[in-house]
């Protein structure tokens, strides 16, 4: 297999999006560029022959110093060293901003690189806004918003450990963490608390597609959308993200039409150039709505 790789520099990116089913033979893996290492993320077993081919090609890239394989098809998603340096990076840069990463400790390493265009959009549209960041994880959107001049950002996530990394990410970029609040709470029990800090000119919702015991996208996303009119300011913007492969954009459009019809769809964000999908309804979807009372 010979992959077409993007030009690599010191900025992190998804180098190969095989799961978009646009690259023959790569349907079961993605490759993340976390300078100076490549992380092959496999969602099904890869043959030794294929792994050797990938290592041979990736190791020939001048900037690549190490290669790792994460086996997402196995329990705990173990990470194995394949070639070169055995040390994984502790931070990466994307669009000039820095983020902490930790490869091998958790299933996810700290930043979703297919969401690069979303963070770029937030940075460009957050100036002077009060922002609400739902399912904030390690607060990548908060970093982008405050770097873009946001007045304040409220972050909420059930994982207090992820929020702690989010605070570190703000400090890593020498951003004012006093502009941010961090709530390690169950979102569905916190609407009143969130409304007290609003209304918000920008609300970002990037939920998991499924989190056992806490979130099922088909059932729970409409519950979130139902709350948006009480959280948004007049003409406020909602960024709604959906990464459930079995659901199309129509799921979001229909949920908004049903639960918050005053929200009008403005645009769908494009994906990073390396994140190609067979159709607009495959993979990650990011739709922008405006509260038109």
């Amino acid at each position: 297999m010979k992959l077409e790789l993007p030009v690599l520099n010191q900025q992190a990116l998804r180098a190969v999006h095989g799961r978009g089913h646009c690259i023959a033979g790569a349907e079961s893996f993605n490759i993340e560029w976390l300078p100076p290492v490549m992380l092959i993320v496999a969602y099904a077993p890869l043959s030794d022959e294929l792994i050797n081919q990938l290592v041979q090609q990736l190791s020939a890239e001048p900037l690549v110093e190490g290669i790792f394989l994460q086996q997402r098809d196995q329990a705990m998603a173990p990470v194995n060293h394949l070639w070169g340096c055995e040390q994984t990076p502790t931070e990466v840069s994307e669009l000039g901003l820095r983020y902490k990463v930790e490869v091998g400790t958790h299933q996810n390493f700290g930043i979703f690189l297919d969401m690069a265009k979303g963070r770029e959009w937030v940075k460009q549209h957050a100036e002077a806004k009060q922002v609400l960041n739902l399912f904030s994880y390690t607060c990548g959107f908060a970093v982008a918003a405050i770097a873009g001049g946001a007045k304040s950002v409220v972050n909420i996530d059930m994982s207090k450990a992820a929020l702690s990394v989010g605070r570190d990410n703000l400090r890593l970029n020498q951003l004012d963490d006093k502009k941010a609040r961090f709530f390690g709470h169950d979102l569905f029990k916190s609407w009143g608390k969130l409304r007290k800090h609003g209304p918000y000119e920008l609300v970002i919702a990037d939920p998991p597609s499924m989190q056992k015991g806490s979130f099922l996208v088909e059932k729970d996303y409409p519950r979130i959308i139902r709350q948006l009119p009480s959280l948004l300011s007049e003409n406020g913007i909602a960024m709604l993200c959906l990464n459930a492969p079995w659901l199309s954009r129509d799921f979001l459009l229909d949920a908004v039409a049903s639960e918050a019809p005053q929200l009008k769809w403005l645009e769908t964000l494009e994906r990073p150039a390396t994140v190609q999908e067979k159709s607009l309804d495959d993979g990650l979807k990011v739709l922008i709505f405006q509260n038109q009372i």
Side-chain angles (χ1 to χ4, degrees):
M1 166 177 285
K2 184 70 172 177
L3 296 171
E4 184 176 338
L5 296 173
V7 175
L8 302 179
N9 53 35
Q10 295 305 319
Q11 300 293 301
L13 54 74
R14 178 158 297 172
V16 175
H17 185 65
R19 295 191 85 206
H21 296 272
C22 293
I23 306 170
E27 294 84 358
S28 60
F29 65 88
N30 297 328
I31 302 179
E32 312 282 24
W33 170 231
L34 306 173
V37 309
M38 287 287 192
L39 177 66
I40 304 167
V41 182
Y43 293 84
L46 305 184
S47 69
D48 290 342
E49 179 183 4
L50 176 55
I51 291 172
N52 289 336
Q53 290 175 356
L54 293 175
V55 169
Q56 183 176 3
Q57 180 177 355
L58 297 175
S59 62
E61 291 290 320
L63 296 181
V64 176
E65 297 179 12
I67 303 171
F68 294 79
L69 171 66
Q70 182 180 35
Q71 296 167 303
R72 288 284 289 264
D73 57 309
Q74 296 185 15
M76 307 301 291
V79 173
N80 301 311
H81 172 254
L82 298 179
W83 176 87
C85 73
E86 298 183 13
Q87 183 66 43
T88 55
T90 58
E91 67 176 72
V92 297
S93 295
E94 178 201 74
L95 302 172
L97 296 172
R98 299 158 69 193
Y99 302 91
K100 290 183 68 174
V101 294
E102 192 172 357
V103 177
T105 304
H106 306 286
Q107 182 171 278
N108 300 310
F109 52 79
I111 184 171
F112 296 104
L113 295 175
D114 57 342
M115 188 56 85
K117 288 290 185 180
R119 286 183 290 274
E120 182 180 30
W121 187 95
V122 167
K123 184 179 178 182
Q124 292 171 349
H125 291 82
E127 186 173 3
K129 288 183 170 64
Q130 292 195 132
V131 179
L132 174 59
N133 185 18
L134 307 177
F135 304 96
S136 55
Y137 186 42
T138 57
C139 306
F141 283 122
V143 170
I146 294 176
K151 182 178 178 181
S152 65
V153 182
V154 171
N155 301 282
I156 183 165
D157 196 284
M158 288 186 70
S159 172
K160 293 181 180 179
L163 292 174
S164 179
V165 175
R167 192 183 294 275
D168 290 341
N169 279 334
L170 290 172
R171 292 169 176 166
L172 189 62
N173 289 279
Q174 299 181 326
L175 297 171
D176 185 1
D177 63 0
K178 293 183 177 63
K179 289 187 174 182
R181 291 184 174 92
F182 304 88
F183 296 144
H185 301 150
D186 181 342
L187 172 61
F188 295 104
K189 298 177 181 178
S190 304
W191 298 120
K193 179 186 287 288
L194 295 178
R195 278 191 285 270
K196 287 179 182 177
H197 294 283
Y200 305 93
E201 286 84 21
L202 173 60
V203 175
I204 302 161
D206 185 17
S209 55
M210 183 177 69
Q211 202 164 65
K212 191 173 181 179
S214 64
F215 192 85
L216 294 174
V217 63
E218 293 95 333
K219 176 174 72 75
D220 292 322
Y221 214 150
R223 295 170 63 198
I224 294 169
I225 291 170
R226 192 178 307 148
Q227 299 292 332
L228 291 176
S230 68
L231 295 166
L232 284 164
S233 64
E234 184 176 353
N235 297 319
I237 299 295
M239 170 189 278
L240 303 184
C241 311
L242 178 66
N243 200 6
W246 61 93
L247 296 174
S248 71
R249 290 188 307 161
D250 286 342
F251 170 79
L252 278 180
L253 293 169
D254 291 346
V256 169
S258 172
E259 305 295 340
Q262 61 268 62
L263 299 187
K264 304 303 179 184
W265 173 64
L266 297 181
E267 63 176 313
T268 298
L269 297 192
E270 64 179 18
R271 303 182 180 102
T274 59
V275 182
Q276 297 299 313
E277 299 279 357
K278 277 193 170 182
S279 81
L280 284 173
D281 281 329
D282 294 336
L284 175 66
K285 281 82 65 176
V286 181
L287 278 65
I288 307 298
F289 296 84
Q290 186 174 43
N291 187 30
Q292 297 181 355
I293 300 173

